Amino acid sequence: MLCQECKEKKATVHVTSIINGKKTELYLCEECAQKKGEWGFAAEPLSLHNFISGFLGGLEPGIKPKTELPGISRCEKCGLTFEEFAQKGRFGCQECYEAFSSQLPAILKKVHGREEYRGKIPRRTGGVLRKKREIEDLRKAMEKSVKEEDFEKAAEIRDKIRELEKELEG
Amino acid sequence: MSLDKKIKKSQSEWMKGKGPMGDVVISTRLRLARNLADFPFPGRAEPGDLKEVRNRVEKVLEKLNYGLKILDLKEIPQLERKTLVERHLMSMNHAEDGPEKVLAVDEFEMISIMINEEDHMRIQVLFPGMQLEDGLRLINEIDDAIEEELVIAFNEKFGYLTSCPTNVGTGLRASVMVHLPGLKLAGRLGQTLQLISRLGMVVRGMYGEGSESQGDIFQISNQVTLGASEGETVENMVGIISKVVEQERQARQYLLKNREDEIRDQVQRAYGLLSHAYRMNTEEALGLLSDLKLGIELDLIKEVEPSILSQLMVLIRPAMLQRIMGQELESGLRDVKRAELIRKKLSGGESHVR
Ligand SMILES: [Zn+2]
Ligand SMILES: [Zn+2]
């Protein structure tokens, strides 16, 4: 049997992937298996970009991807078009996330099941978000103090919140 | 250099040690995808951009206290690059020719950082056994240190911005490699794997063609990077994998209690073949090594070190084998040399007392 990926070498590897309960089977040569990252862990979980392309109509023959939708056309910084993104499943630069932002939440929700970021915040570029989260935490602490009738502490926290809010506006 | 020495020199730290839950968990890997804010992602960058990215990242890495050695992949022969892939230090993709590709790696081969792969940086840590929490701690520390010096692509809505939408958010992929021969022999493997995959994990395994009996090694990794924090992702995985480990241990005890003769026979046959065969391909070797490892963990075989599977599953790979043997080998000869290497390892080339 020939490798289903390169269709040149003999398939020596039988790969079974299970994602969300769906099983896919592949017969690959050693090299392609490694390339696909099915061996060892040099790899990503099954790439979803084909799926994204399919979602956007990029791969279906005869069907043009919907690049004419308002608000999505081309990233001005790197020049990537939405069509190219749909085909390759890769962004060109960080500005692409802005350029295609009208379509992204739907795509990311399909990929991840959720669309809201909840992870770590870098100190440099994440300053605003860091402050917002801090304010959120302080608000909770303030409510707690009020409930415990520790008004002095609540007032202290309120001042801190105001300070942070000022910094945010400035 | 003697063969013994060459074997020793070819082992990463994670292959030698038995980590937590080492009876079932082979290794833990975490990686973060990161990009510099001011440059296009590598897939769309000009060579000049990539050079600048490389210079900036290298300069930062040199300042860190992890003793990272910086390898310019252009200067490294193809076969040697493949050994880095086989040792799980970088991706196959990164071994291919391309502009300004770099790998930074520490002397224990625990930390490795790819520069200009699909993202500007792929930071990886690799530990023996089950060490997701420690892994997260270390990789966060490295990430923080890098972020002190570089402006990283990030936005509030989507988190860390990556080339592929499957990585955006935390950019974190955590993978745990597990060895599940007991569940397979007890006929409960399929059901367990299905369950794991329904819990938001990706399970991948590899078998020899036409049979499910080779290797019994699976990778379990998180599927999503958006919607859960790094801590939640890891916590969730710890819960799931602990369950898998528990199930595997139960299956092994069940087998020992109810099918001891059969298991003993299978294990000792594997040991016999591995110790005496003259030729062996990778698939057969992995299947037998899996049986042998099961025997060691069930205390049916006492004179072989438990890390034999972690070591040999890497050392018998084609590029590693050729590196250890110090020559290029065509595949027929490789099978002979592979068997020689395995025999050497099992015959007490090093001390094997547990
Ligand atoms: Zn192939
Ligand atoms: Zn762009």
Side-chain angles (χ1 to χ4, degrees):
Chain A
M1 179 168 199
L2 283 180
C3 168
Q4 292 179 333
E5 187 75 12
C6 64
K7 299 182 176 74
E8 276 170 21
K9 284 175 219 147
K10 194 173 161 264
T12 55
V13 178
H14 175 195
V15 182
T16 308
S17 302
I18 307 172
I19 291 179
N20 285 336
K22 231 184 106 199
K23 198 169 162 184
T24 49
E25 293 188 76
L26 270 179
Y27 291 88
L28 302 172
C29 70
E30 201 163 283
E31 212 152 289
C32 290
Q34 211 163 43
K35 230 180 253 180
K36 283 185 97 69
E38 300 296 354
W39 175 254
F41 40 176
E44 306 297 299
L46 256 192
S47 158
L48 286 168
H49 78 260
N50 286 343
F51 160 81
I52 295 162
S53 307
F55 173 66
L56 298 166
L59 282 185
E60 287 162 52
I63 301 175
K64 275 248 165 203
K66 298 171 191 146
T67 46
E68 305 302 317
L69 289 175
I72 38 163
S73 52
R74 163 189 288 272
C75 168
E76 273 179 31
K77 182 150 182 234
C78 76
L80 189 79
T81 63
F82 192 67
E83 189 173 8
E84 284 172 294
F85 166 65
Q87 268 161 10
K88 288 192 203 140
R90 294 290 187 280
F91 295 105
C93 74
Q94 67 165 347
E95 297 301 320
C96 292
Y97 281 88
E98 290 299 325
F100 308 144
S101 65
S102 62
Q103 290 297 295
L104 274 189
I107 295 171
L108 294 176
K109 194 155 188 205
K110 279 259 175 189
V111 174
H112 296 276
R114 283 166 286 191
E115 52 185 296
E116 196 190 333
Y117 179 62
R118 286 171 46 116
K120 175 177 179 176
I121 305 163
R123 224 155 280 164
R124 243 167 229 272
T125 21
V128 175
L129 184 54
R130 191 176 284 277
K131 277 183 193 139
K132 279 187 189 160
R133 287 219 188 140
E134 209 174 309
I135 291 172
E136 252 170 57
D137 291 345
L138 285 171
R139 281 223 174 90
K140 273 182 209 147
M142 184 169 73
E143 274 164 33
K144 199 171 155 239
S145 300
V146 170
K147 251 184 221 152
E148 289 163 0
E149 302 190 2
D150 187 347
F151 298 111
E152 202 172 317
K153 194 171 173 199
E156 240 171 68
I157 298 174
R158 187 201 51 209
D159 290 345
K160 234 186 239 165
I161 292 175
R162 285 203 180 139
E163 219 169 276
L164 280 171
E165 280 173 339
K166 225 184 248 163
E167 280 175 38
L168 267 183
E169 281 158 24
Chain B
M1 209 191 306
S2 74
L3 186 55
D4 271 353
K5 270 202 185 134
K6 278 189 184 151
I7 294 172
K8 269 206 182 116
K9 260 198 79 180
S10 298
Q11 287 165 331
S12 316
E13 211 52 34
W14 70 269
M15 296 179 215
K16 290 185 274 188
K18 180 171 167 171
M21 300 185 179
D23 54 332
V24 180
V25 180
I26 296 173
S27 59
T28 300
R29 183 195 71 132
L30 293 95
R31 77 110 173 91
L32 292 174
R34 295 289 187 259
N35 288 284
L36 305 198
D38 305 325
F39 299 90
F41 301 146
R44 218 173 159 75
E46 301 295 329
D49 290 329
L50 295 174
K51 189 160 187 204
E52 185 59 27
V53 167
R54 172 191 165 170
N55 288 343
R56 287 192 192 189
V57 177
E58 276 184 6
K59 208 179 273 168
V60 173
L61 296 186
E62 275 159 13
K63 276 204 279 181
L64 300 184
N65 291 323
Y66 299 105
L68 294 169
K69 204 163 74 187
I70 290 174
L71 309 173
D72 181 350
L73 293 180
K74 199 171 73 250
E75 316 268 296
I76 293 177
Q78 185 60 233
L79 188 66
E80 188 64 25
R81 279 185 239 165
K82 280 193 180 154
T83 68
L84 294 167
V85 179
E86 292 178 353
R87 294 214 297 290
H88 305 308
L89 298 174
M90 65 183 208
S91 66
M92 192 71 182
N93 204 359
H94 209 47
E96 275 163 27
D97 291 332
E100 311 297 340
K101 286 182 171 179
V102 170
L103 180 74
V105 61
D106 77 317
E107 77 173 299
F108 305 108
E109 306 197 334
M110 185 168 78
I111 302 169
S112 64
I113 299 171
M114 290 187 270
I115 305 176
N116 288 328
E117 208 248 20
E118 184 183 291
D119 294 297
H120 294 145
M121 285 181 279
R122 289 282 177 96
I123 308 163
Q124 175 185 289
V125 298
L126 179 53
F127 289 120
M130 172 73 171
Q131 303 200 52
L132 278 166
E133 286 117 329
D134 287 337
L136 183 61
R137 220 166 292 136
L138 177 61
I139 206 165
N140 258 330
E141 183 190 300
I142 300 167
D143 184 45
D144 288 346
I146 292 174
E147 202 251 315
E148 289 277 315
E149 310 284 334
L150 297 168
V151 183
I152 301 297
F154 178 88
N155 87 26
E156 290 187 25
K157 225 156 89 200
F158 303 126
Y160 289 93
L161 305 177
T162 55
S163 168
C164 183
T166 57
N167 293 318
V168 70
T170 59
L172 172 70
R173 193 77 59 207
S175 309
V176 176
M177 197 183 266
V178 290
H179 180 226
L180 306 176
L183 284 168
K184 194 199 67 194
L185 283 167
R188 288 187 1 230
L189 184 60
Q191 162 196 346
T192 307
L193 297 183
Q194 292 275 350
L195 192 70
I196 301 168
S197 76
R198 272 197 218 106
L199 295 170
M201 299 287 115
V202 180
V203 184
R204 286 176 303 137
M206 177 174 140
Y207 310 87
E209 186 179 2
S211 120
E212 295 210 330
S213 68
Q214 264 116 30
D216 306 323
I217 295 165
F218 299 88
Q219 272 186 83
I220 303 173
S221 27
N222 62 306
Q223 188 174 9
V224 306
T225 51
L226 208 57
S229 71
E230 295 83 355
E232 289 163 341
T233 302
V234 159
E235 199 183 310
N236 184 28
M237 280 183 81
V238 168
I240 291 169
I241 286 156
S242 309
K243 267 270 166 331
V244 174
V245 169
E246 198 181 293
Q247 297 267 309
E248 169 65 20
R249 284 175 180 163
Q250 279 174 12
R252 290 177 188 179
Q253 287 313 314
Y254 163 85
L255 291 167
L256 195 59
K257 220 171 140 195
N258 297 286
R259 289 158 58 184
E260 186 181 344
D261 288 352
E262 180 198 333
I263 301 301
R264 242 179 219 285
D265 185 55
Q266 188 169 331
V267 163
Q268 289 184 206
R269 275 171 192 277
Y271 191 18
L273 278 170
L274 289 165
S275 313
H276 295 285
Y278 183 71
R279 279 200 314 196
M280 198 165 282
N281 64 31
T282 313
E283 268 174 82
E284 184 186 11
L286 283 171
L288 296 171
L289 284 166
S290 170
D291 291 343
L292 178 64
K293 165 83 169 163
L294 177 64
I296 297 167
E297 295 303 339
L298 287 174
D299 239 1
L300 301 174
I301 289 181
K302 297 187 173 68
E303 67 271 30
V304 184
E305 55 194 328
S307 64
I308 190 81
L309 179 65
S310 313
Q311 294 184 41
L312 281 177
M313 63 181 264
V314 173
L315 301 183
I316 63 171
R317 310 290 304 159
M320 284 304 288
L321 186 66
Q322 295 178 68
R323 168 178 145 157
I324 291 166
M325 293 299 167
Q327 54 182 314
E328 287 201 27
L329 305 163
E330 46 95 17
S331 69
L333 195 55
R334 251 185 258 162
D335 290 351
V336 174
K337 291 291 180 186
R338 180 176 296 112
E340 184 186 329
L341 172 71
I342 296 169
R343 289 199 309 271
K344 181 92 193 164
K345 201 86 183 74
L346 288 175
S347 71
E350 307 165 43
S351 83
H352 288 145
V353 188
R354 269 182 98 170

